Amino acid sequence: MNLLEQAVSKSDGVLRILLALMMTLLVIDVTWQVLTRFILTQPSSFTEEVARFLLIWVSLLGGAYAYREHSHLGFDLLVRKLSQQKARWVFKLCCVLVAVFAISVLIIGGLNLVYLTWLLGQQSPVLDIPMAWVYIVLPLSGLLFLLYSAFFFFNAEQQFITQECIQ
């Protein structure tokens, strides 16, 4: 197992646990919000902000995990009509495009946003935590997208052999 495969394997395990934990916390948080609002008639002040921040993290990290598992939306009607070699080329091109997006938007743009909010000292209104902590998920998810797209790019041959065996 090479270094890239080890990194992907470790990140998969950590990401799976982290996503399950965040989803559990999100369900508990929203349940508490509903209970305090409708049963106790005194809504909790922090639960809406916690739910929003958890949803941001779950969405971005979950998107990276969905990309890893090939669970994202895809339009493969045209690719299925291509020859095996051309389909592999298109697959590798898509990996490069995902990597470019991850680097330019998620990593660089995310780091700029984190830096700016840290520099300006922007705090969340209710929890009073630095917004940079919330936004750090952008470059983190970008690194995951980059890792997974590199893994797919360098293992494209194996990917297509596996897909041929399944079909």
Side-chain angles (χ1 to χ4, degrees):
M1 184 181 287
N2 66 26
L3 185 63
L4 188 60
E5 288 174 349
Q6 288 176 347
V8 167
S9 178
K10 286 186 195 258
S11 67
D12 283 350
V14 170
L15 194 54
R16 198 175 304 121
I17 291 168
L18 187 61
L19 284 168
L21 178 66
M22 286 190 299
M23 282 300 296
T24 302
L25 291 173
L26 184 60
V27 168
I28 291 169
D29 180 64
V30 171
T31 303
W32 180 251
Q33 174 65 20
V34 169
L35 289 174
T36 58
R37 180 175 298 229
F38 294 112
I39 294 177
L40 302 177
T41 64
Q42 277 191 318
S44 180
S45 61
F46 68 91
T47 52
E48 183 180 338
E49 196 167 274
V50 169
R52 190 175 334 117
F53 295 162
L54 281 171
L55 193 58
I56 290 168
W57 275 69
V58 166
S59 298
L60 287 164
L61 294 178
Y65 189 71
Y67 177 63
R68 165 68 176 113
E69 296 292 320
H70 298 288
S71 298
H72 59 288
L73 290 175
F75 186 70
D76 64 348
L77 181 65
L78 297 174
V79 175
R80 286 180 184 255
K81 295 190 182 274
L82 297 174
S83 68
Q84 186 75 4
Q85 183 179 8
K86 288 181 183 177
R88 193 176 302 117
W89 186 86
V90 169
F91 180 76
K92 284 186 167 188
L93 175 66
C94 289
C95 292
V96 170
L97 292 175
V98 168
V100 167
F101 176 81
I103 292 168
S104 61
V105 175
L106 295 173
I107 297 173
I108 294 173
L111 285 173
N112 286 336
L113 180 63
V114 169
Y115 175 71
L116 183 64
T117 56
W118 188 266
L119 190 67
L120 296 175
Q122 184 181 3
Q123 302 285 114
S124 69
V126 178
L127 297 175
D128 199 36
I129 60 170
M131 288 302 293
W133 291 2
V134 177
Y135 297 144
I136 197 71
V137 73
L138 285 164
L140 181 62
S141 65
L143 288 172
L144 287 168
F145 273 105
L146 184 60
L147 174 70
Y148 293 145
S149 63
F151 176 74
F152 292 150
F153 183 87
F154 292 116
N155 292 306
E157 305 295 324
Q158 182 103 16
Q159 195 93 19
F160 277 87
I161 291 169
T162 307
Q163 285 180 352
E164 283 177 358
C165 294
I166 293 172
Q167 292 176 2

